[in-house]
Amino acid sequence: LGKQLVVKSESGPAVTTLMPADMHAPLFTFVNFETGNARLDGFTITGYDVGAVTEPVVIFNMNKLASPVIQNCIVRDNHGITVARIMDDGPRFVRCVFYNNSGGPVMQVLGGVVSFLNCTIDRCENGIYAYNADVEVRNSSITNCTGYAVRGYVGLFDYNNVWNNGLPSDSGARSG
């Protein structure tokens, strides 16, 4: 709610796990002009299992120009979820790993300027969906998705590893 808080694990994601108290609610909501000084650092996020749903649950919900930094996190083994829904914002995901998640895309970007740096998406249903947004994906791997790796328009897509994904319609996935 606009506060510039830092929530950091003392021991890192291998030791510190966050799980949902409510399977049908976001674990984190950034909705009021949080800046890059608002950070979430060093957690494993797991435990969502809402089954087959028409609208996946969102773990990170961001709107109203929120631009926090999510770094050094592992988001794994969640089902019936979209990891992040971003609307008109500018968050940065740095050195995060997303694997074995299903239900929606890992990143659903519906506006704003988003950075996805040195991250890994592996064995998820879908990778990154961008619509009406400027997304920077750099030094990242998107592999083994059963659906698409990248769909929509991704503004800057450099030095990535994109392979073995299910749908051949990945746009923005080019060499380099």
Side-chain angles (χ1 to χ4, degrees), residues 121-138:
I121 296 174
D122 186 39
R123 292 177 284 160
C124 292
E125 189 168 336
N126 292 299
I128 298 171
Y129 174 79
Y131 177 78
N132 198 27
D134 186 8
V135 179
E136 173 187 17
V137 181
R138 184 174 288 235

Side-chain angles (χ1 to χ4, degrees), residues 10-126:
E10 184 175 290
S11 301
V15 177
T16 311
T17 300
L18 301 176
M19 298 177 75
D22 179 351
M23 286 287 171
H24 300 284
L27 194 57
F28 297 96
T29 302
F30 299 94
V31 295
N32 230 358
F33 304 101
E34 292 88 350
T35 69
N37 293 324
R39 276 188 309 152
L40 180 70
D41 189 348
F43 295 94
T44 290
I45 299 165
T46 190
Y48 277 96
D49 192 357
V50 295
V53 293
T54 56
E55 183 68 26
V57 174
V58 176
I59 295 176
F60 294 101
N61 188 30
M62 300 180 199
N63 60 37
K64 294 187 182 173
L65 301 175
S67 54
V69 175
I70 312 298
Q71 63 187 22
N72 304 315
C73 289
I74 298 170
V75 182
R76 65 171 175 79
D77 301 317
N78 296 287
H79 307 288
I81 57 100
T82 291
V83 174
R85 179 174 295 141
I86 302 155
M87 301 170 64
D88 302 321
D89 303 305
R92 288 186 319 159
F93 291 84
V94 181
R95 293 180 306 278
C96 292
V97 176
F98 307 91
Y99 71 90
N100 197 30
N101 297 296
S102 65
V106 170
M107 296 287 136
Q108 183 181 44
V109 186
L110 304 172
V113 179
V114 178
S115 296
F116 196 74
L117 310 170
N118 302 303
C119 293
T120 298
I121 296 174
D122 186 39
R123 292 177 284 160
C124 292
E125 189 168 336
N126 292 299

